[in-house]
Amino acid sequence: DSGVTQTPKHLITATGQRVTLRCSPRSGDLSVYWYQQSLDQGLQFLIQYYNGEERAKGNILERFSAQQFPDLHSELNLSSLELGDSALYFCASSPRPLEEAFFGQGTRLTVV
Amino acid sequence: GIQVEQSPPDLILQEGANSTLRCNFSDSVNNLQWFHQNPWGQLINLFYIPSGTKQNGRLSATTVATERYSLLYISSSQTTDSGVYFCAVGTSGTYKYIFGTGTRLKVLA
């Protein structure tokens, strides 16, 4: 157990819908990262927060948004879902940016 | 941006064999991690190794930051070592880890 908790573990939804993925970082970690892994692909960086502030943005679609709350948990919102958004979404946390990061078990999103 | 290439892309071993996985990166890095993604999709931390050499049981890793590469050694491989191995690098001021292309390892009994 990495100490990073992601919910839900699995999510099946229809095209056009909106979903929210939740991440609770390890105790004491201030930095949260989100990654997307499509089938048999590598991990693509989406966005990073440090102590509530966005610090880095990757190839995140405009339909996607995220935030980190005062209690340091983070949410990734995906809207107007398309079939191609089906993927494994990972959250990771580290004490500060680019210190050792630990990953949650991921949320497997299937868009039908 | 920085490019991270891993080799070989695929590797099949008999149980008990040794292997070396390589991670090359195109620019200076401040941090580097190795992960194992098991067949269930979990990403497991292996090493946090910005430079130098570390060992953990049958696994060891070496990063030569000045020459822009890192190596992961797996000795006496077991079927449970199967999965995909990723390196991820971080550069100062970017606030993100960039993942390599991965090495898919299959260990046969």
Side-chain angles (χ1 to χ4, degrees), chain B residues 1-94:
Chain B
I2 191 170
Q3 304 297 314
V4 186
E5 296 286 335
Q6 292 184 239
S7 60
D10 296 280
L11 188 57
I12 301 175
L13 300 173
Q14 288 291 333
E15 204 168 23
N18 303 328
S19 60
T20 301
L21 282 57
R22 188 176 180 102
C23 171
N24 289 334
F25 35 95
S26 61
D27 204 348
S28 301
V29 301
N30 295 95
N31 298 292
L32 188 145
Q33 288 191 239
W34 282 97
F35 296 92
H36 173 215
Q37 187 168 35
N38 66 21
W40 295 271
Q42 285 180 288
L43 280 164
I44 299 163
N45 286 44
L46 297 178
F47 295 100
Y48 175 73
I49 185 166
S51 63
T53 297
K54 290 186 177 180
Q55 179 153 9
N56 184 4
R58 296 181 296 103
L59 303 182
S60 64
T62 295
T63 296
V64 185
T66 53
E67 296 188 20
R68 301 182 183 173
Y69 73 89
S70 183
L71 302 174
L72 177 69
Y73 306 93
I74 304 174
S75 64
S76 304
S77 57
Q78 301 175 356
T79 56
T80 51
D81 295 332
S82 296
V84 183
Y85 289 80
F86 289 104
C87 64
V89 303
T91 57
S92 177
T94 63

Side-chain angles (χ1 to χ4, degrees), chain A:
Chain A
D1 183 4
S2 67
V4 179
T5 303
Q6 288 188 248
T7 57
K9 287 189 172 52
H10 301 275
L11 196 50
I12 301 175
T13 190
T15 54
Q17 294 299 304
R18 172 188 168 95
V19 297
T20 297
L21 312 184
R22 183 188 169 99
C23 170
S24 294
R26 293 188 316 156
S27 177
D29 284 358
L30 302 180
S31 190
V32 169
Y33 315 75
W34 285 97
Y35 286 83
Q36 179 193 54
Q37 186 178 34
S38 301
L39 189 62
D40 287 335
Q41 298 295 311
L43 282 91
Q44 300 299 316
F45 172 73
L46 295 178
I47 200 163
Q48 190 261 352
Y49 286 86
Y50 176 57
N51 205 20
E53 291 189 17
E54 179 188 308
R55 289 298 182 95
K57 214 167 189 176
N59 296 325
I60 186 168
L61 299 172
E62 285 191 12
R63 301 183 285 107
F64 295 1
S65 64
Q67 61 183 122
Q68 186 179 29
F69 294 86
D71 67 352
L72 301 176
H73 92 272
S74 179
E75 292 181 357
L76 179 66
N77 299 296
L78 315 176
S79 63
S80 302
L81 285 167
E82 302 175 359
L83 296 178
D85 297 327
S86 296
L88 195 51
Y89 291 84
F90 284 105
C91 165
S93 75
S94 63
R96 277 160 291 281
L98 297 186
E99 293 185 353
E100 186 172 10
F102 289 83
F103 280 73
Q105 291 192 317
T107 292
R108 190 172 297 277
L109 173 66
T110 303
V111 183
V112 297

